[in-house]
Amino acid sequence: MTSQFSIAIIDEDKLSRDALLSSLKPYADSITLAGSIEHVSHPSSLQKGAPNVVFLGVARVEQGIKDIRTITAQFPRASVIACSSEKNVEGFLALMRAGAVEYLLRPIGPEELNLSLQKVSRLIFAATAEEPAPSGKILAVYNPVGGMGTTTVAVNLAAALAAEGAKVALVDLNLEAGDVNTFLNLNPAYTLSSVTTNIDRLDADFLMSVMTRHASGPYILTEPLEVDEAVSITPDQIQRMLELLKKMFTYVVVDCAGLLAGCNLTILDSADLILFNTTLSLPGLKNTKRYLLALANRGHDRDRVKLVINRYLPKSDIQLKDAEKVLGVPVYQAIPNNYADVVSSVNKGMPVVHLLPKSPVTKAILGLAERVKR
């Protein structure tokens, strides 16, 4: 971390404040101290203005949630790192949903502190860079039918890319049966139909105003709430929205399903990469073969269409090499079948890559994220 940023420590426990200050000494060349205070209610005692990062001591989750909201209201650009002695998964999720970007368990080890500072520094300087961002990449995660775990892949891929500091949009364009809001425990005030019904006033400011930032990092645009709203959405509206999103975000991850027709054709034609998500079952492979041929006939070659095998079991009757032989394309990424981890993440409204960093699913998704960056 060569660029400087400002840090504040807010904690009722003086011993904890002093311990953190001591741990931060090796970073003296990279950080400045805006202040070390006891209460959120006294932000004016921070000597050097708005901090980039706030280390917040949390003794009680309910109070921590209130404090995070107070801090983010007072300092909208600050990244809040919650610090607690309680190993409480539900509390961790609640604090993340309130706006914390990290959760550190006390005593804070040197490695954990270093990783957190690296993360927030990437977020800070990605957001404040003066140079215009390059045109983004649209990543369509697709299978024509449901039940293949396509939303799981899309949600976790978006979170994995955002964890590296990239500006990521996650758009649910499964117009018939979208589930991104359920997977992330969102109840947004605005949805995709908020965009399409106001297409004449569509610009970057309006689009950002209707997207919801999830605690895991991505900006979310969910599917319409009503079926009738979804039916009225046109390919031209989708095209305009995707073109604008590509200018605004480094990555635009699109969750889509259904026939190669209408809006889906627009999505896939607009995509820089199509991640065709399937499973190692005979019906799944049969359908995949048909659709890969259809995509190839539309000019989507192997450089743009990549095969993702989801729910992979190494000891299943059908192996990866069998799928490659049948489909005539290499497997781009295999994601292991770990039902318990995925269900736990959905029930808690947090991607596996954040909730369970040591899960085999997380490892595979991080591998997929590295591949799509190339």
Side-chain angles (χ1 to χ4, degrees):
M1 295 176 294
T2 56
S3 301
Q4 285 229 342
F5 56 92
S6 174
I7 283 179
I9 301 171
I10 303 177
D11 198 327
E12 294 180 358
D13 188 334
K14 186 178 186 303
L15 290 177
S16 295
R17 294 201 309 272
D18 291 344
L20 182 54
L21 283 170
S22 179
S23 298
L24 289 170
K25 285 181 180 178
Y27 303 95
D29 292 339
S30 301
I31 64 175
T32 58
L33 184 66
S36 177
I37 60 178
E38 293 184 17
H39 300 291
V40 171
S41 56
H42 304 137
S44 59
S45 58
L46 297 178
Q47 290 88 10
K48 299 183 180 180
N52 301 118
V53 181
V54 176
F55 285 89
L56 175 67
V58 178
R60 301 174 303 282
V61 172
E62 294 79 9
Q63 185 60 48
I65 292 170
K66 293 178 182 177
D67 290 346
I68 290 169
R69 290 172 178 164
T70 300
I71 292 167
T72 53
Q74 180 79 18
F75 307 116
R77 296 184 180 276
S79 295
V80 180
I81 298 176
C83 308
S84 177
S85 302
E86 296 295 325
K87 193 175 183 180
N88 181 337
V89 174
E90 295 299 331
F92 153 76
L93 291 171
L95 293 168
M96 293 286 282
R97 290 188 188 119
V101 300
E102 280 284 272
Y103 182 92
L104 294 179
L105 190 63
R106 292 174 176 151
I108 302 169
E111 184 177 354
E112 288 77 13
L113 180 61
N114 184 55
L115 289 173
S116 293
L117 290 174
Q118 286 182 0
K119 176 179 178 178
V120 294
S121 68
R122 285 194 299 266
L123 293 172
I124 292 165
F125 297 115
T128 58
E130 294 183 0
E131 294 182 5
S135 179
K137 182 183 285 189
I138 297 177
L139 309 171
V141 186
Y142 173 71
N143 188 286
V145 298
M148 296 290 178
T150 303
T151 299
T152 298
V153 175
V155 164
N156 281 279
L157 175 59
L161 291 168
E164 294 297 319
K167 192 175 182 183
V168 179
L170 172 59
V171 186
D172 194 338
L173 290 180
N174 183 346
L175 300 179
E176 296 181 4
D179 263 332
V180 166
N181 62 340
T182 304
F183 275 53
L184 294 176
N185 192 29
L186 290 175
N187 186 23
Y190 304 101
T191 68
L192 178 64
S193 60
S194 306
V195 176
T196 56
T197 56
N198 290 279
I199 201 70
D200 291 337
R201 56 179 291 208
L202 185 62
D203 59 18
D205 289 337
F206 176 76
L207 194 49
M208 285 300 295
S209 72
V210 298
M211 299 183 82
T212 303
R213 182 85 184 270
H214 190 259
S216 60
Y219 292 80
I220 314 296
L221 190 58
T222 63
E223 75 285 357
L225 298 177
E226 303 294 334
V227 173
D228 289 344
E229 293 176 345
V231 171
S232 66
I233 294 173
T234 69
D236 285 344
Q237 292 170 338
I238 296 297
Q239 180 73 37
R240 286 187 60 181
M241 181 186 69
L242 289 176
E243 288 175 353
L244 183 55
L245 285 169
K246 190 169 182 175
K247 295 176 183 177
M248 296 165 58
F249 291 88
T250 310
Y251 299 101
V252 181
V253 179
V254 180
D255 179 9
C256 54
L259 297 174
L260 291 178
C263 292
N264 278 336
L265 286 181
T266 297
I267 296 164
L268 298 177
D269 289 345
S270 301
D272 296 278
L273 209 58
I274 300 169
L275 301 176
F276 197 105
N277 175 69
T278 191
T279 60
L280 291 182
S281 66
L282 288 176
L285 293 179
K286 179 183 176 182
N287 221 25
T288 298
K289 188 170 184 177
R290 292 173 61 229
Y291 275 83
L292 289 179
L293 178 59
L295 287 168
N297 290 338
R298 287 191 58 83
H300 301 306
D301 57 24
R302 293 186 184 184
D303 289 338
R304 293 185 61 224
V305 182
K306 303 298 183 182
L307 182 64
V308 176
I309 301 296
N310 198 11
R311 300 174 183 162
Y312 171 57
L313 289 169
K315 295 183 179 180
S316 66
D317 293 335
I318 304 175
Q319 293 294 299
L320 295 178
K321 62 182 181 180
D322 300 324
E324 292 178 334
K325 184 176 180 180
V326 169
L327 301 175
V329 296
V331 173
Y332 190 63
Q333 183 70 45
I335 300 170
N337 186 14
N338 198 317
Y339 180 80
D341 288 355
V342 172
V343 169
S344 178
S345 78
V346 174
N347 289 341
K348 291 180 170 63
M350 189 63 66
V352 179
V353 295
H354 274 259
L355 183 67
L356 301 165
K358 295 182 180 180
S359 168
V361 174
T362 295
K363 183 178 179 181
I365 292 289
L366 293 177
L368 179 60
E370 286 302 315
R371 287 179 177 273
V372 303
K373 292 177 189 176
R374 299 170 187 169

